């Protein structure tokens, strides 16, 4: 048993180690140890803290997660009120000039002193939620919303889940320091989060700002913990025992030195012209900045001068928000076009009269799907409100019905929107999936919009494995009219290929060899190569094993298909739909005509015996010794299956270096996590 002192050392070491790996994982996105090892460290710390309550600490990494849902938030009275700032309405350079002249007037730097410029700091105005963080002797003790500025809500539990917020300040922090700043979400994080939320059947977050504000006000801290929240410090509240720096700029540097995240986009500016320059520059860069801003903030740099200027009602005289034009603008729908994606999904897209919004000129906006267009009742020639939301693609928020064009009888000129029954690209008929929400072109291999994706899939390493046929070449072949469907590949010739850009005689010959070689394949690869919706590599292997011959698969109805382990109604439906399309069968016939063949009744995939029968594995990250393919083959040889996504059915997640979201998902679901060594042990028969 550890003595107290030994336990203390170990606990301190574990905390440092865990924080280090936390930062590597969450901030640098570059995990340094397998998650299994991380979990072991974390559990050891939890156990030590439970066994030695005297060693518990509010800044321990164990304090970031968990916690019980609250019935309501407790009120927090701010020791120093959280003020708002005045907004400069002139969105042009005038904004900076007005502010500067007000400051100069207050400071009695009359026109006679025109040579003296006031020094400012220009910062970004983050579009999230203002919070106040209280650090006592460097320990994060309480976090609060702004509320009405005087009293906010205690959201400490939620803020502790934000990895950007240190639980303990670095360096020599004062006995009391309240840090003011903004909780926000990056746009890319929101897009990724929303993809996963949709996959889980949850409602996506509308935009980063709502995402941030809604998440920190969740009563259940576990919900907040699952959201990709971040934090920027921009000021201070109550302070005790600290010699404040002389300027706002140095204050921000000091906060950064305490380990608080401070945004790098800021400048010290002399006079209004330099402020206006920053406003212009950030306005141009706005679209490239990974999070939303709604303007910039100008602050008098000297804290002494800030004090001299003081406040007017609830706003400081030394700061102003200089906004950008609204991210929501009005424009007119010139047309509604139907875009066909790589998988054949039909998406209505609004063609707009070009309009400047969120730092960019937009002329397209997604309308998501037919249902959405009908719900909003968007029609051609309508005036609409457009917003550049979390997703970089702008969206149509609403129709301005008063501005809808009508005929003499007062009836709308244009009928409600309807998706066409056939694909605008190839004329194949459109099928509706998932209760009608998704419309898809059934053209499959013959639809030109899908051709590129289908061809790339067909030639892929795990499909027909044609080496040397990349996307650039495919684009050239499609553009030149040489290839439209996979079977066309088998009619290519050396002279034809050699005539293409950047293609020599030798590489043309090599490519033709690779194409020829691909003709001898396996049933499983062939099924996978067809690119049937919902049929991944592992389903293709199951189907090959079950049916043994393509004709049997083609002839199977939904019920027969659902007899295959792992094939549910959605997969069965996709397969039936695919073979029901005449052009797909014709294409298969052409491939046979091109001598594509395989051994019938082969034992393709997983062994039906072995220690891993019935076990489902997910591989993620780079394994140090094994190649991904190798690991997969060995698992399959032992009777196991490998799938691409983690679910409750997953038996093991094998995580290597740089494992990402799958690992997080495994942790969420409590799925067993192995590293390569663990997998090898299992393979050696130490009981799966
Ligand atoms: S300073 C006394 N700096 O804008 C001045 N505020 O009305 C206190 N905001 O919701 C605010 N970025 O959360 C300041 N760099 C920044 C800011 C910023 C965003 C928000 C703030 C508040 C509003 C101010």
């Amino acid at each position: 048993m550890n003595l107290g002192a030994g336990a203390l050392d170990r606990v301190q070491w574990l905390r440092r180690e865990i924080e280090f790996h936390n930062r590597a994982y969450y901030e640098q996105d570059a995990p340094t140890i397998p998650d299994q090892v991380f979990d072991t460290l974390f559990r050891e710390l939890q156990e030590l803290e439970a066994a030695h309550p005297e060693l518990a600490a509010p800044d321990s990494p164990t304090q970031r997660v968990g916690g019980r849902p609250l019935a309501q938030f407790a009120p927090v009275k701010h020791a120093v009120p959280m003020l708002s700032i005045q907004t400069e309405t002139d969105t042009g350079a005038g904004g900076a000039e007005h502010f500067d002249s007000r400051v100069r007037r207050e400071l009695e730097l009359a026109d006679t002193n025109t040579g003296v410029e006031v020094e400012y700091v220009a910062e970004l105005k983050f579009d999230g939620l203002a919070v106040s963080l209280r650090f006592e002797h460097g320990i994060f003790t309480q976090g609060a919303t702004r509320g009405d500025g005087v009293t906010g809500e205690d959201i400490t539990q939620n803020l502790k889940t934000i990895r950007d917020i240190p639980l303990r300040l670095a360096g020599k922090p004062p006995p009391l320091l309240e840090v003011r700043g903004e909780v926000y979400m990056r746009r890319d994080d929101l897009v990724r989060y929303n993809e996963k939320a949709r996959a889980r059947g949850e409602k996506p977050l509308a935009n980063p700002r709502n995402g941030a504000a809604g998440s920190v006000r969740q009563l259940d801290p576990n919900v907040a913990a699952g959201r990709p929240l971040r934090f920027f410090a921009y000021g201070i509240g109550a302070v005790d025992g600290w010699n404040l720096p002389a300027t706002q700029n140095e204050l921000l540097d000091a906060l950064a030195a305490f380990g608080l995240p401070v945004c790098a986009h800021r400048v010290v500016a002399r006079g209004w012209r330099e402020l206006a320059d920053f406003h212009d520059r950030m306005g141009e860069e706005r679209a490239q900045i990974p999070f939303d801003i709604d303007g910039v903030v100008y602050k008098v740099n000297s804290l002494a001068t800030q004090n001299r200027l003081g406040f007017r009602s609830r706003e400081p005289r030394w700061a102003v928000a200089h906004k950008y034009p609204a991210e929501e603008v009005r424009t007119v729908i010139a047309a509604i076009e139907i875009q066909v994606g790589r998988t054949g999904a039909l998406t209505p897209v609004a063609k707009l009269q070009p309009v400047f919004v969120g730092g960019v000129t937009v002329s397209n906006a997604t309308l998501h799907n037919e249902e959405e267009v009908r719900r909003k009742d968007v029609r051609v020639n309508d005036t609409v409100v457009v917003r550049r939301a979390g997703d970089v693609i702008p969206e149509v928020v609403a129709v301005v019905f008063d501005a809808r064009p009508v005929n003499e009888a007062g009836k709308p000129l244009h009928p409600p929107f309807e998706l066409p029954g056939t694909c605008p690209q190839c004329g194949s008929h459109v099928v509706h999936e998932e209760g009608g929400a998704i419309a898809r072109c059934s053209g499959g291999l013959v639809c030109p919009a899908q051709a590129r994706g289908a061809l790339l899939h067909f030639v892929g390493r795990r499909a027909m494995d044609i080496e040397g046929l990349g996307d650039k070449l495919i684009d050239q072949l499609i553009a030149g009219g040489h290839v439209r469907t996979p079977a066309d590949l088998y009619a290519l010739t050396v002279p034809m290929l050699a005539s293409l850009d950047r293609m020599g005689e030798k590489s043309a010959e090599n490519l033709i060899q690779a194409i020829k070689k691909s003709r001898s394949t396996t049933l499983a690869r062939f099924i996978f190569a067809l690119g049937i919706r919902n049929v991944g590599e592992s389903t293709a292997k199951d189907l090959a094993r079950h049916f043994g011959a393509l004709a049997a698969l083609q002839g199977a109805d939904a019920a027969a298909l659902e007899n295959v382990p792992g094939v549910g109604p959605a997969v069965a439906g996709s397969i039936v739909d695919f073979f029901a399309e005449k052009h797909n069968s014709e294409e298969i016939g052409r491939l046979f005509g091109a001598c594509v063949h395989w051994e019938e009744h082969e034992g393709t995939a997983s062994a039906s015996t072995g220690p891993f029968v019935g076990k489902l594995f997910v591989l993620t990250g780079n394994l140090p010794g094994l190649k991904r393919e190798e690991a997969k083959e060995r698992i399959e040889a032992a009777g196991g299956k490998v799938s691409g996504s983690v679910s409750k059915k997953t038996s093991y997640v094998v995580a290597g270096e740089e494992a990402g979201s799958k690992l997080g998902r495994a942790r969420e679901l409590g799925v067993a996590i192995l590293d390569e060594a663990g997998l090898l042990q299992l393979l050696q028969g130490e009981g799966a």
Side-chain angles (χ1 to χ4, degrees):
M1 188 71 224
N2 270 331
L3 291 176
L8 177 63
D9 281 350
R10 182 73 184 158
V11 161
Q12 286 178 336
W13 181 85
L14 283 167
R15 286 177 187 157
R16 275 199 306 273
E17 195 69 8
I18 290 168
E19 281 296 2
F20 171 79
H21 294 300
N22 252 339
R23 277 196 301 279
Y25 186 91
Y26 287 98
E27 286 166 32
Q28 284 119 35
D29 246 348
T32 34
I33 48 169
D35 298 287
Q36 198 192 18
V37 179
F38 180 90
D39 292 343
T40 317
L41 295 177
F42 198 85
R43 237 169 305 152
E44 185 187 346
L45 179 59
Q46 281 179 321
E47 280 160 18
L48 275 174
E49 285 177 352
H52 300 274
E54 73 281 8
L55 298 183
D59 66 328
S60 172
T62 55
Q63 301 303 300
R64 284 202 190 273
V65 281
R68 285 162 201 274
L70 303 170
Q72 62 179 69
F73 295 114
V76 176
K77 186 145 183 352
H78 298 300
V80 171
M82 288 182 78
L83 303 164
S84 58
I85 27 183
Q86 204 184 329
T87 298
E88 187 53 65
T89 43
D90 184 335
T91 53
E97 201 175 353
H98 291 163
F99 173 59
D100 182 52
S101 65
R102 272 205 312 276
V103 170
R104 295 179 70 87
R105 195 164 51 243
E106 299 283 350
L107 294 177
E108 290 169 3
L109 290 170
D111 298 335
T112 49
N113 275 321
T114 41
V116 187
E117 297 281 25
V118 177
E119 189 175 275
Y120 300 100
V121 179
E123 302 170 17
L124 298 182
K125 188 169 187 306
F126 314 110
D127 201 7
L129 186 81
V131 296
S132 183
L133 313 176
R134 191 177 170 90
F135 291 89
E136 292 172 46
H137 300 283
I139 303 291
F140 176 43
T141 52
Q142 191 177 58
T145 59
R146 191 176 100 114
D148 63 5
V150 177
T151 310
E153 290 173 316
D154 186 335
I155 51 164
T156 314
Q157 283 208 76
N158 288 339
L159 293 178
K160 277 190 174 176
T161 68
I162 303 179
R163 312 276 155 173
D164 267 359
I165 297 179
L167 296 177
R168 175 198 288 269
L169 296 179
K172 289 202 179 63
L176 173 66
L177 175 63
E178 267 182 25
V179 176
R180 303 270 159 92
E182 197 91 350
V183 171
Y184 69 99
M185 247 185 221
R186 285 168 55 133
R187 285 191 296 272
D188 55 350
D189 282 341
L190 176 105
V191 170
R192 242 174 288 156
Y193 174 85
N194 277 350
E195 274 169 17
K196 287 188 212 146
R198 285 191 198 100
R200 287 195 297 262
E202 291 166 17
K203 216 179 134 204
L205 302 171
N207 57 51
R209 182 195 153 80
N210 290 359
S215 302
V216 294
R217 294 202 65 263
Q218 289 286 332
L219 288 165
D220 182 352
N222 291 303
V223 176
R227 306 270 171 91
L229 297 171
R230 295 179 188 251
F231 174 77
F232 274 135
Y234 55 62
I236 52 171
V239 188
D240 188 25
W242 192 32
N243 268 333
L244 285 187
T247 63
Q248 165 72 9
N249 193 47
E250 287 164 308
L251 176 71
L252 293 178
D253 284 340
L255 294 179
F258 287 143
L260 291 154
V262 172
C263 182
H265 292 289
R266 68 170 200 266
V267 292
V268 173
R270 295 191 150 269
W272 67 265
R273 284 179 193 82
E274 291 184 22
L275 291 177
D277 284 349
F278 183 78
H279 184 267
D280 287 352
R281 189 154 60 80
M282 290 302 121
E284 280 164 23
E285 285 177 26
R286 192 174 177 192
Q288 276 81 52
I289 296 173
F291 45 84
D292 281 355
I293 57 172
D294 56 349
V296 294
V297 178
Y298 306 142
K299 299 174 185 174
V300 169
N301 198 18
S302 156
L303 299 192
T305 312
Q306 287 187 3
N307 275 334
R308 251 179 78 197
L309 287 164
F311 300 87
R312 185 192 317 107
S313 68
R314 311 217 55 79
E315 290 158 355
R317 289 200 185 88
W318 46 264
V320 79
H322 191 186
K323 295 219 182 177
Y324 291 114
E327 299 234 58
E328 287 191 353
V329 291
R330 286 182 179 203
T331 188
V332 172
I333 305 246
I336 299 178
E337 285 183 0
I338 311 298
Q339 227 167 50
V340 185
R342 290 213 302 153
T343 60
L346 265 54
T347 311
V349 175
K351 295 282 155 185
L352 308 172
Q353 275 179 16
V355 61
F356 191 72
V357 56
V360 284
T361 301
V362 303
S363 42
N364 294 315
T366 177
L367 291 165
H368 300 290
N369 54 47
E370 182 174 29
E371 201 183 293
E372 178 95 357
V373 187
R374 292 199 159 233
R375 191 170 56 76
K376 291 179 179 161
D377 191 15
V378 182
R379 307 186 191 189
V380 175
N381 281 353
D382 273 351
T383 297
V384 290
V385 177
V386 171
R387 172 170 65 204
R388 215 193 95 253
D391 305 276
V392 186
I393 308 158
E395 70 171 341
V396 172
V397 180
V399 173
V400 182
F401 288 107
D402 292 345
R404 171 168 284 172
V406 287
N407 61 19
E408 310 84 65
K411 291 267 182 284
L413 281 182
H414 299 276
F417 172 78
E418 238 176 288
L419 262 190
T422 55
C423 173
Q425 294 281 333
C426 69
S428 303
H429 73 261
V430 171
V431 292
H432 291 264
E433 291 171 16
E434 289 172 35
I438 299 179
R440 213 178 284 280
C441 161
S442 60
L445 299 178
V446 297
C447 175
Q450 294 175 71
R452 184 179 189 268
L455 282 165
L456 281 169
H457 176 82
F458 184 84
V459 305
R461 201 163 44 80
R462 293 175 302 146
M464 300 302 278
D465 194 18
I466 303 181
E467 222 186 289
L469 200 46
D471 52 353
K472 299 249 159 54
L473 195 49
I474 296 244
D475 285 344
Q476 272 195 71
L477 290 170
I478 295 175
H482 306 294
V483 169
R484 205 167 58 93
T485 73
D488 297 336
L489 293 170
Y490 294 96
L492 292 174
T493 61
V494 174
M496 189 270 117
L497 284 175
S499 73
L500 292 176
D501 277 0
R502 287 187 302 271
M503 181 64 107
E505 190 83 16
K506 187 74 204 140
S507 16
E509 270 166 25
N510 288 344
L511 184 53
I512 291 294
Q513 276 314 312
I515 293 173
K516 275 195 181 146
K517 199 175 117 205
S518 76
R519 292 187 305 199
S520 173
T521 186
T522 66
L523 174 57
R525 278 179 178 273
F526 186 79
I527 295 171
F528 177 58
L530 291 175
I532 305 168
R533 287 275 310 152
N534 297 318
V535 177
E537 191 185 11
S538 121
T539 305
K541 286 180 179 174
D542 291 344
L543 293 168
R545 192 173 336 119
H546 186 89
F547 290 102
L550 189 70
L553 175 64
Q554 279 177 295
D557 60 9
L561 287 162
E562 282 180 49
N563 278 334
V564 181
V567 173
V571 180
S574 305
I575 298 170
V576 170
D577 287 348
F578 182 88
F579 291 117
E581 291 294 327
K582 199 165 132 241
H583 49 77
N584 287 335
S585 312
E586 282 168 5
E587 179 67 14
I588 291 168
R590 292 182 61 215
L591 286 166
F592 288 156
C595 293
V596 172
H597 66 280
W598 56 85
E599 304 267 314
E600 297 272 333
H601 304 286
E602 59 197 2
T604 37
S606 307
S608 49
T609 58
F612 286 3
V613 168
K615 301 281 179 211
L616 190 57
F617 288 74
V618 172
L619 302 172
T620 176
N622 300 323
L623 301 179
L626 289 174
K627 287 219 180 67
R628 181 83 68 101
E629 275 305 299
E630 245 177 284
K632 189 166 178 220
E633 275 164 21
R634 293 184 63 171
I635 290 168
E636 288 176 350
K641 281 198 185 172
V642 177
S643 133
S645 58
V646 181
S647 74
K648 276 186 281 189
K649 291 190 194 145
T650 310
S651 323
Y652 296 97
V653 167
V654 183
E657 278 171 32
E658 291 174 27
S661 59
K662 289 183 189 167
L663 193 53
R665 180 90 181 119
R667 289 208 182 114
E668 265 170 48
L669 295 172
V671 171
I673 297 166
L674 294 175
D675 58 5
E676 183 185 282
L679 171 66
L680 292 172
Q681 270 176 22
L682 279 188
L683 281 165
Q684 272 150 29
E686 294 179 21

